[in-house]
């Protein structure tokens, strides 16, 4: 224990009171009602709080998961999760008491004295083992602070009498956690009585599609409806649309809202299944705010069974032992569906990033030329697109260089080509274009004759460029609040899709907008993944926090390829940024692949963010 005698006595009194109260809980709650351990209302801008004495109270438990271990006798573990209101509160004591068929668990948190506490939300997770050996077959409830769940024992939890002399503590580990190990089989709800008819609930979480209508189409596109607020959204009907993998689906006992009876993770086709259930009433639900589900679903909204919370009450009976529950999800702010057979390829030349035309080089000098280009066509570029040499002086460069990452429509990228100055003095120029997946080049603004180029001068007595100091490079930029006034065609706005009637911020940092502080920016020493995802956590070499003006900086970098990204769904960023989306470097894109030259100061890797109200 970490508290003195008086506070220990108060803690014991609190636990006894809570255990007594928990024993008579009759309703199922999906949200904690206990008061979190705080000395004042959480305020990110307030001064750090310092206590002279420990502060005890109920831990802010938000969810529980009951895990049945693969052993006999059966073992039961309870995983509880929640958040602390600051960075110096922790779990101090967990007390378990059994009353009839109920396990009453009280989790006590304590804020440490003498420490400056910052009001930041800190997630926690604890595993509590229940003493279930010797219990009779039946249904048992588990109450953790204000959260309730249950589990079933199908038979008496005892070893055969003849083996009682050899009873040892089981050492079986819990079943694999499907969140930590995506390849593991997810836990399912407790099974029904042995020999009973099969009772099961299956279903699907699918991507409810609403394509953008053509410019001359006054009617809503197929799959779309108009909401009561006048917005266009998916229609909530499953029409052979794709499933969504990796969604965490919960089952609870009784009417909704109810969880804690089991979970299942949707497969590659979006399907889930709770098998071998006992007859009765269940609640099937998907919480889009669950941290694991946020990464898969947000931003977006439910369209089925109805708009609003994704939960359905299911009654399993002898007449209807098998039931199906489907959930439709409409993603927001995603790029419009593109017909790759009819879209157009085009790019705009933006700038020479380095090495101006007619720069003088010594014979045989090595250098890397970089250009900034923007995808101004209607086709997104995959990593199968490439930079292609189309004429002039190649200067020892590769003829074709694949793009390091996918490029969305409207996104600006930098392309780099390694070259060697020719040995003979003279003026040299090389011409370059972008090539599609078939290797066919296209030019500036779609004109096949227009290319971007580099022209250099080679002189016999030229002095090679100075060598930069090792690890003297830097990457930085600003994260800003990009908004359009009133979400209409006014200042700072652009239409998201032709004739969509939906307006978003325009990706331009103007004088009326401000930087966003306390945003986490990550740096990985590799190219961003070509499939549009973010680098894994193990690839991140550094993180930076934006200051009050929204600026961030990584210094002391060596030359090489980096992925700079802003993960809006990370634990640090999600509560502040979601719902919303990026507007720069492109709509829905929050990352850069950047090739850093020795000693280069790349301080314009900016991110624009449009909050959704």
């Amino acid at each position: 224990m970490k508290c003195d005698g008086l506070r220990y006595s108060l803690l014991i009194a609190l636990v006894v009171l809570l255990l007594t109260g928990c024993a008579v809980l009759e309703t199922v709650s999906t949200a904690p009602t206990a008061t979190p351990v705080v000395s004042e209302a959480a305020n990110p801008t307030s001064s750090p709080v310092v206590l002279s004495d420990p502060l005890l109270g109920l831990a802010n438990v938000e969810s529980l998961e009951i895990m049945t271990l693969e052993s006999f006798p059966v073992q039961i573990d309870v995983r509880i999760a929640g958040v602390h209101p600051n960075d110096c509160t922790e779990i101090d004591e967990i007390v378990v008491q059994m009353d009839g068929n109920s396990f009453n668990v009280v989790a006590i948190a304590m804020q440490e004295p003498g420490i400056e506490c910052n009001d930041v939300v800190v997630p926690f997770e604890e595993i509590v083992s229940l003493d279930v050996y010797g219990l009779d077959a039946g249904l048992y409830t588990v109450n953790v602070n204000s959260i309730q769940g249950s589990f079933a024992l199908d038979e008496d939890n005892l070893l055969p009498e003849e083996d009682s002399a050899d009873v040892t503590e089981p050492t079986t580990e819990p079943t694999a956690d499907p969140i930590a190990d995506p390849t593991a089989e997810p836990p399912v709800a407790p099974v029904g009585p042995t020999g009973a008819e099969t009772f099961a609930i299956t279903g699907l979480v699918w991507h409810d599609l609403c394509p953008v209508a053509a410019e001359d189409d006054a009617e809503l596109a197929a799959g779309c409806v108009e909401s009561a607020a006048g917005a266009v959204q998916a229609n909530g009907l499953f029409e052979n649309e794709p499933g969504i993998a990796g969604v965490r689906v919960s089952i609870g006992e009784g009417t909704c809202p109810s969880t804690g009876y089991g979970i299942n993770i949707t497969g590659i086709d979006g399907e889930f299944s709770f098998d071998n259930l006992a007859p009765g009433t269940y609640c099937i639900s998907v919480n889009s705010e669950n941290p694991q589900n946020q990464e898969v679903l947000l931003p977006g909204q439910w369209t089925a069974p109805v708009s609003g919370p994704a939960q359905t009450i299911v009654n399993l009976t002898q007449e209807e032992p098998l039931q199906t529950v489907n959930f439709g999800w409409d993603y927001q702010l995603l790029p419009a569906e593109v017909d790759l057979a009819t879209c157009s390829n085009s790019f705009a030349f933006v700038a020479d990033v380095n090495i101006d035309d007619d720069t003088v080089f010594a014979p045989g000098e090595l250098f890397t030329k970089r250009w900034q280009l923007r995808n101004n066509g209607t086709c997104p570029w995959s990593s199968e697109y490439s930079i292609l040499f189309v004429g002039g002086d190649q200067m020892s460069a590769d003829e074709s260089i694949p793009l390091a990452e996918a490029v969305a429509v409207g996104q600006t990228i930098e392309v780099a080509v390694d070259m060697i100055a020719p040995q003979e003095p003279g003026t040299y120029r090389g011409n370059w274009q972008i090539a599609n997946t078939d290797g066919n080049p296209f030019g500036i603004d779609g004109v096949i004759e227009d290319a971007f180029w580099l022209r250099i001068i080679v002189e016999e007595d030229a002095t090679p460029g100075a060598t930069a100091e090792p690890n003297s490079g830097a990457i930085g930029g600003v994260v800003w609040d990009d908004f359009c006034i009133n979400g209409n065609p006014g200042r700072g706005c652009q239409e998201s899709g032709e004739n969509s009637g939906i307006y978003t911020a325009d990706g331009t940092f103007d004088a009326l907008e401000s930087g966003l502080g306390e945003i986490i920016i990550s740096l990985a020493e590799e190219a961003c993944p070509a499939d549009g995802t973010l680098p894994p956590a193990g690839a991140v070499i550094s993180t930076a926090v934006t200051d009050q003006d929204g600026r961030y900086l990584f210094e002391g970098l060596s030359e090489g390829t980096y992925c700079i990204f802003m993960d809006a769904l990370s634990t640090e960023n999600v509560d502040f940024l979601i719902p919303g989306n990026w507007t720069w470097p492109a709509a829905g894109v929050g990352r850069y692949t950047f090739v850093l030259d020795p000693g280069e100061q790349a301080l314009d890797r900016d991110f624009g963010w449009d909050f959704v109200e």
Side-chain angles (χ1 to χ4, degrees):
M1 296 296 294
K2 304 173 183 175
C3 48
D4 57 28
L6 174 60
R7 292 189 175 273
Y8 178 75
S9 299
L10 293 174
L11 172 62
I12 293 299
L14 175 63
V15 170
V16 171
L17 177 63
L18 291 170
L19 289 173
T20 303
C22 285
V24 297
L25 282 177
E26 296 180 355
T27 59
V28 177
S29 173
T30 59
T33 57
T35 303
V37 183
V38 292
S39 58
E40 60 180 80
N43 181 359
T45 61
S46 63
S47 301
V49 177
V50 180
L51 299 177
S52 57
D53 296 305
L55 180 63
L56 296 170
L58 284 181
N60 187 14
V61 177
E62 294 185 331
S63 65
L64 64 85
E65 177 184 343
I66 298 176
M67 301 180 295
T68 302
L69 310 192
E70 294 180 348
S71 64
F72 189 82
V74 171
Q75 298 175 83
I76 300 292
D77 280 355
V78 179
R79 186 199 309 271
I80 65 174
V83 294
H84 295 310
N86 53 51
D87 57 3
C88 56
T89 294
E90 61 182 26
I91 297 296
D92 183 74
E93 182 82 355
I94 295 179
V95 180
V96 182
Q97 178 179 316
M98 190 172 183
D99 182 6
N101 276 29
S102 294
F103 286 88
N104 300 316
V105 182
V106 178
I108 302 295
M110 181 178 73
Q111 181 174 317
E112 293 280 6
I115 301 176
E116 288 190 352
C117 299
N118 297 302
D119 288 330
V120 294
V121 174
V122 179
F124 71 83
E125 182 176 284
E126 299 284 341
I127 302 294
V128 180
S129 296
L130 302 181
D131 184 7
V132 297
Y133 180 72
L135 295 183
D136 296 334
L139 183 66
Y140 294 84
T141 60
V142 180
N143 306 297
V144 182
N145 292 9
S146 63
I147 307 296
Q148 187 179 83
S150 62
F151 65 92
L153 295 177
D154 300 329
E155 54 186 299
D156 294 346
N157 199 34
L158 286 168
L159 287 172
E161 185 175 350
E162 59 270 26
D163 297 333
S164 58
D166 300 322
V167 172
T168 58
E169 289 295 323
T171 58
T172 306
E173 294 296 324
T175 54
D177 180 4
I179 301 304
D181 180 8
T183 64
E185 288 295 326
V188 298
V191 299
T194 303
E197 181 180 357
T198 299
F199 293 84
I201 302 172
T202 62
L204 170 75
V205 180
W206 90 90
H207 182 186
D208 199 4
L209 297 173
C210 174
V212 177
E215 181 176 357
D216 58 352
D217 189 356
E219 301 294 330
L220 288 173
C224 301
V225 295
E226 187 172 341
S227 69
V232 177
Q233 66 179 45
N235 61 11
L237 301 176
F238 179 57
E239 299 163 316
N240 293 320
E241 293 152 315
I244 304 175
V247 178
R248 186 183 178 101
V249 182
S250 298
I251 183 172
E253 186 184 22
T255 59
C256 295
S258 175
T259 58
Y261 205 53
I263 63 168
N264 200 270
I265 310 299
T266 58
I268 190 69
D269 53 4
E271 294 182 352
F272 65 90
S273 176
F274 295 101
D275 302 318
N276 300 320
L277 299 173
T281 301
Y282 299 92
C283 176
I284 306 298
S285 61
V286 182
N287 179 10
S288 60
E289 298 298 326
N290 175 277
Q292 288 78 26
N293 285 341
Q294 286 180 350
E295 298 181 8
V296 179
L297 295 174
L298 294 183
Q301 63 185 355
W302 295 109
T303 61
V306 294
S307 297
Q311 58 185 28
T312 299
I313 299 173
V314 179
N315 293 307
L316 296 181
T317 65
Q318 295 290 340
E319 292 74 25
E320 295 183 309
L322 305 177
Q323 299 272 355
T324 299
V325 177
N326 294 335
F327 298 98
W329 181 260
D330 183 6
Y331 285 101
Q332 294 178 349
L333 302 179
L334 289 184
E337 297 293 323
V338 175
D339 185 349
L340 299 180
T342 60
C343 64
S344 61
N345 279 307
S346 176
F347 69 89
F349 172 80
V350 178
D352 287 302
V353 178
N354 67 343
I355 307 178
D356 294 332
D357 285 332
D358 298 326
T359 296
V360 176
F361 286 90
E365 185 174 349
L366 282 66
F367 62 93
T368 299
K369 169 61 182 177
R370 299 212 315 274
W371 297 271
Q372 195 173 62
L373 309 173
R374 183 172 63 254
N375 179 353
N376 66 353
T378 60
C379 293
W381 301 344
S382 70
S383 58
E384 295 180 356
Y385 279 62
S386 60
I387 307 301
L388 187 68
F389 174 70
V390 294
D393 301 300
Q394 195 167 341
M395 291 180 269
S396 301
D398 292 337
E399 182 175 1
S400 178
I401 303 166
L403 296 184
E405 61 176 317
V407 182
V409 172
Q411 183 177 356
T412 299
I413 64 163
E414 289 184 2
V415 297
V417 179
D418 296 329
M419 301 183 186
I420 302 175
Q423 293 293 334
E424 296 297 325
T427 299
Y428 299 87
R429 168 175 162 165
N431 300 319
W432 299 81
Q433 291 182 330
I434 306 290
N436 63 15
T437 57
D438 295 325
N440 298 322
F442 54 93
I444 296 174
D445 294 326
V447 179
I448 191 61
E449 294 83 8
D450 290 347
F452 57 98
W453 70 83
L454 169 67
R455 185 176 62 230
I456 68 169
I457 297 173
V458 178
E459 295 182 355
E460 189 69 45
D461 57 352
T463 302
T467 302
E469 291 292 327
N471 302 321
S472 59
I475 296 174
V478 63
V479 180
W480 86 92
D481 182 2
D482 196 12
F483 64 91
C484 60
I485 300 174
N486 298 326
N488 59 32
R491 180 172 179 173
C493 303
Q494 63 181 2
E495 192 168 15
S496 177
E498 294 184 6
N499 297 326
S500 68
I502 300 174
Y503 293 88
T504 61
D506 61 4
T508 302
F509 190 9
D510 62 36
L512 293 178
E513 295 167 336
S514 59
L516 295 175
E518 303 300 320
I519 304 299
I520 305 297
I521 305 297
S522 301
L523 182 71
E525 198 169 12
E526 60 182 30
C528 300
D531 60 2
T533 60
L534 299 179
V540 175
I541 61 172
S542 183
T543 58
V545 183
T546 59
D547 63 17
Q548 63 181 2
D549 296 321
R551 298 196 173 276
Y552 73 94
L553 180 65
F554 297 100
E555 296 182 288
L557 302 178
S558 61
E559 63 178 302
T561 301
Y562 294 90
C563 180
I564 311 101
F565 63 96
M566 172 180 156
D567 184 358
L569 298 180
S570 68
T571 302
E572 301 87 353
N573 289 337
V574 65
D575 288 340
F576 181 64
L577 294 176
I578 298 298
N581 207 348
W582 297 274
T583 61
W584 187 262
V589 177
R591 59 182 215 161
Y592 293 92
T593 291
F594 187 77
V595 180
L596 189 69
D597 288 341
E600 183 178 4
Q601 306 292 300
L603 305 180
D604 58 354
R605 306 295 91 185
D606 300 337
F607 297 92
W609 185 260
D610 183 10
F611 288 98
V612 176
E613 297 181 358

